[in-house]
Amino acid sequence: FSSPQHDDRLIESIYPFDIDEKISKVDFIQYSSTRKKEVNKLDGNSSKNRRLLSIGNITYNNTDLIEPAIQFQSRMRQLFGGIGVWNTQMAYRERFYSELESECSTLSEVVAAIIKKEIDRQLKLKKTANDLLLASKLKIKQEEEKVNAELRERDLEVEREMQILRANARDTPMNDALAYLEEKKRVFQTIEFTLDDVWKRHEMRLELFDALDNYIHESKEYWEWKQQEDIEMMEGTEEDHEYRYQDYIKTADGLLLHDYMKLHYVYQRLQDQIDMKNNAKKNPNSKELKSSHEVAVGNYLAELNKFVTSGTANDLTVIEMKKRMNRLKERSLVEEMKYAKKKGSKGDWIHAEAETHHTLSDLVKLRTMAKFHSDLEAAKEERRKDYIRKEFEISTTFGSRITKWELVLDEVNDRKVFVSIDTLEQLHMKTAICEKCDEIIVQHEMNCTGCGFPRSAKNQKLFRPLGYKDITLE
């Protein structure tokens, strides 16, 4: 017992006001009447409360006065649990509650302080446990999302590999047709045709165009199949679109648009509640002054509606969409968010999240499919242009489909000439022949006089200004 306050509380519990009556009931305590008289003598004229407050200070310097109480306490501890158990309890009390005892003057204050400390400790443990539980749930959720993302990526990789295998099996005829065309062109270029080979060259040139037509046919069949495969893959399932939505809202633009739309739906719900309240009045058309809440909700809703409409438009170019998203980034939502959290209920936010998910996921799906079909059309147009380039390359290098002129070697004069397969007429090799209508282009004209088609790059090199003599074999 280390303090007068502690001794005071012990005396209060062991020595009640009727000390003789209390002690006489305990046969194993020999209370000293001399000590009792000494106590009464020291403080005989004071009230009970004053005596109880001062007796602790007295016994702190006169330990013999409370020796019977100490003996009584020891005997009770031996009877109930043993000294070892009570020593453990004393050590615990000394460790955790000694500071509280030193700050309190009565036993009731100590008990109240201990109970309060225990309640605070339990609350702290509960809060810590809740925090740990939330952190554990968050970690589990993050790990689950990570695993799902890995599984999805693996499934997509398998699907891509299967698609490549299917495509390789389907694009073989196209690749073979292209290889055959390239080989035909290579062989044609290696042959030196002479005047005796005019018809042979004509037939081989037509075979070139047959090979080109075959390649275009196989290519169109393959890409039609491939396009249908890609469309089915992009349309996919609702789960696929949900993954695309989750991926989108993880981006800066997606998260920004999500926050704008969610806040917009919260204010829309608040506005609906205001309208319902006004419609419930006896005279809903009466011109009453709007409350500050109605004005704030109306202003914030109008502002958010303008930005959400701007950010969810579909008929925009990529550059215009970036400009609008930059304007959204420049706008701060601090005031709107603060007011919405203050006035909106938990149900309003849950409803807004559900509406945002539904609307934004549909928007992501619509934009994804629109971009996909746009890319398909762009690729289709690029292939069409590629077919034209291939045919034009053959026409300018070897002659067009309809030409009657074949470029061969005149071995006698050691020069190359154009020979007509119909009349065997010969022209100088620098004669410009229109690839479209097979007419002879006047050397000082930029366009064909027969069809009006402009000179090709090859024929532009053969242009001669007005005043120059016409090129002839002579």
Side-chain angles (χ1 to χ4, degrees):
F1 304 96
S2 58
S3 65
Q5 291 86 352
H6 185 275
D7 297 340
D8 184 23
R9 292 192 295 273
L10 181 61
I11 293 300
E12 182 182 352
S13 61
I14 302 303
Y15 292 158
F17 305 131
D18 297 325
I19 295 176
D20 284 329
E21 182 182 357
K22 181 72 176 179
I23 297 301
S24 63
K25 294 180 182 180
V26 185
D27 55 0
F28 52 83
I29 295 293
Q30 299 295 328
Y31 179 68
S32 171
S33 60
T34 303
R35 289 170 181 159
K36 177 186 175 184
K37 292 177 181 179
E38 186 174 354
V39 171
N40 292 333
K41 182 179 179 180
L42 289 172
D43 203 11
N45 297 324
S46 301
S47 64
K48 292 180 180 179
N49 290 336
R50 184 172 180 80
R51 185 170 71 249
L52 288 172
L53 291 173
S54 62
I55 195 169
N57 293 324
I58 296 172
T59 56
Y60 185 72
N61 297 317
N62 300 274
T63 56
D64 291 342
L65 295 176
I66 62 170
E67 183 179 352
I70 296 173
Q71 293 177 357
F72 175 75
Q73 186 186 57
S74 299
R75 292 294 301 275
M76 293 297 290
R77 287 179 174 178
Q78 290 176 0
L79 291 174
F80 297 100
I83 298 299
V85 174
W86 287 99
N87 286 341
T88 303
Q89 296 297 323
M90 287 176 62
Y92 180 85
R93 179 175 175 178
E94 179 69 22
R95 179 181 178 185
F96 294 101
Y97 302 135
S98 59
E99 183 178 353
L100 296 177
E101 291 180 357
S102 64
E103 297 174 354
C104 301
S105 58
T106 62
L107 182 63
S108 60
E109 291 180 1
V110 174
V111 173
I114 290 174
I115 293 175
K116 183 178 182 303
K117 182 177 181 180
E118 184 63 22
I119 292 175
D120 293 341
R121 188 180 72 86
Q122 292 293 338
L123 290 175
K124 184 177 180 181
L125 289 175
K126 185 177 180 180
K127 183 179 179 181
T128 304
N130 290 336
D131 292 341
L132 291 174
L133 181 60
L134 290 175
S136 178
K137 288 182 178 180
L138 180 61
K139 184 177 180 181
I140 292 173
K141 184 178 179 181
Q142 291 175 346
E143 291 178 351
E144 183 180 1
E145 290 177 353
K146 182 179 179 181
V147 170
N148 289 335
E150 291 177 353
L151 290 175
R152 176 172 170 252
E153 184 62 30
R154 189 178 302 172
D155 292 341
L156 289 176
E157 184 64 27
V158 172
E159 180 62 27
R160 283 193 291 266
E161 291 179 357
M162 293 297 295
Q163 190 176 16
I164 291 173
L165 291 175
R166 292 194 299 269
N168 290 339
R170 291 298 297 265
D171 68 357
T172 300
M174 179 186 68
N175 292 334
D176 291 345
L178 180 60
Y180 180 75
L181 173 62
E182 295 298 326
E183 179 63 18
K184 279 286 185 181
K185 289 164 60 177
R186 187 191 67 80
V187 172
F188 198 104
Q189 289 175 324
T190 59
I191 298 177
E192 188 70 66
F193 296 99
T194 65
L195 290 173
D196 296 331
D197 301 323
V198 172
W199 190 254
K200 177 182 178 183
R201 186 182 189 280
H202 174 73
E203 290 181 337
M204 290 188 66
R205 181 171 50 79
L206 293 181
E207 289 177 1
L208 271 180
F209 284 102
D210 290 341
L212 174 65
D213 293 339
N214 182 55
Y215 162 71
I216 293 175
H217 172 74
E218 295 293 344
S219 176
K220 286 181 178 180
E221 281 198 349
Y222 167 75
W223 285 110
E224 285 178 3
W225 170 85
K226 182 69 166 54
Q227 180 174 305
Q228 189 61 34
E229 283 278 305
D230 292 341
I231 291 175
E232 292 178 359
M233 184 175 180
M234 283 300 295
E235 289 178 348
T237 62
E238 289 301 322
E239 184 180 5
D240 296 330
H241 290 292
E242 177 64 22
Y243 278 124
R244 293 191 187 105
Y245 165 75
Q246 294 296 336
D247 292 339
Y248 175 70
I249 63 175
K250 290 178 183 178
T251 64
D253 290 348
L255 181 60
L256 181 66
L257 190 56
H258 174 273
D259 292 342
Y260 266 97
M261 294 183 69
K262 185 176 180 179
L263 198 57
H264 172 265
Y265 280 118
V266 171
Y267 277 101
Q268 184 62 59
R269 192 170 174 86
L270 292 176
Q271 184 63 50
D272 293 342
Q273 294 169 2
I274 293 173
D275 294 340
M276 290 178 61
K277 183 178 179 182
N278 292 335
N279 292 334
K281 294 180 180 179
K282 294 182 179 180
N283 188 9
N285 296 325
S286 61
K287 297 182 179 180
E288 298 180 0
L289 293 177
K290 293 184 178 180
S291 65
S292 59
H293 174 62
E294 293 177 338
V295 173
V297 170
N299 292 338
Y300 286 145
L301 180 60
E303 188 74 7
L304 287 169
N305 186 60
K306 180 176 65 176
F307 280 101
V308 169
T309 303
S310 174
T312 55
N314 289 321
D315 53 344
L316 298 176
T317 62
V318 176
I319 297 177
E320 182 62 27
M321 179 59 69
K322 287 184 178 179
K323 289 182 179 179
R324 295 196 178 190
M325 293 307 298
N326 288 334
R327 286 198 290 269
L328 293 183
K329 292 176 183 178
E330 294 171 358
R331 177 71 161 79
S332 175
L333 294 176
V334 175
E335 293 184 5
E336 290 87 342
M337 187 67 72
K338 183 178 179 180
Y339 192 82
K341 288 182 178 180
K342 180 180 179 181
K343 297 297 183 179
S345 64
K346 184 178 179 180
D348 294 335
W349 286 95
I350 294 175
H351 172 80
E353 177 61 35
E355 288 293 325
T356 301
H357 181 278
H358 175 72
T359 306
L360 190 55
S361 61
D362 287 347
L363 179 64
V364 171
K365 180 179 179 180
L366 182 63
R367 286 182 175 178
T368 301
M369 295 307 298
K371 183 179 183 304
F372 172 72
H373 284 289
S374 176
D375 292 341
L376 285 182
E377 290 300 320
K380 186 176 181 180
E381 178 62 18
E382 185 62 31
R383 289 193 299 272
R384 186 187 70 82
K385 292 180 179 179
D386 184 62
Y387 301 150
I388 295 175
R389 282 194 297 268
K390 280 184 167 54
E391 179 162 357
F392 196 72
E393 177 189 354
I394 294 175
S395 297
T396 55
T397 306
F398 308 107
S400 66
R401 290 176 181 266
I402 61 173
T403 187
K404 62 183 179 181
W405 301 98
E406 300 293 343
L407 184 63
V408 295
L409 176 64
D410 182 359
E411 295 179 313
V412 175
N413 297 307
D414 193 21
R415 60 185 180 185
K416 286 190 174 182
V417 294
F418 280 110
V419 178
S420 171
I421 59 173
D422 295 334
T423 62
L424 297 181
E425 178 187 358
Q426 296 185 8
L427 297 176
H428 195 280
M429 65 174 298
K430 290 187 177 181
T431 303
I433 302 174
C434 179
E435 292 88 355
K436 188 171 183 180
C437 67
D438 206 34
E439 289 289 329
I440 305 300
I441 302 176
V442 180
Q443 65 178 11
H444 61 266
E445 295 288 343
M446 289 300 299
N447 295 334
C448 175
T449 55
C451 63
F453 194 72
R455 286 174 178 257
S456 64
K458 174 185 176 182
N459 284 334
Q460 284 181 4
K461 298 178 180 179
L462 304 177
F463 174 79
R464 292 170 65 83
L466 185 64
Y468 282 74
K469 293 182 179 181
D470 292 340
I471 297 178
T472 63
L473 289 176
E474 290 75 19

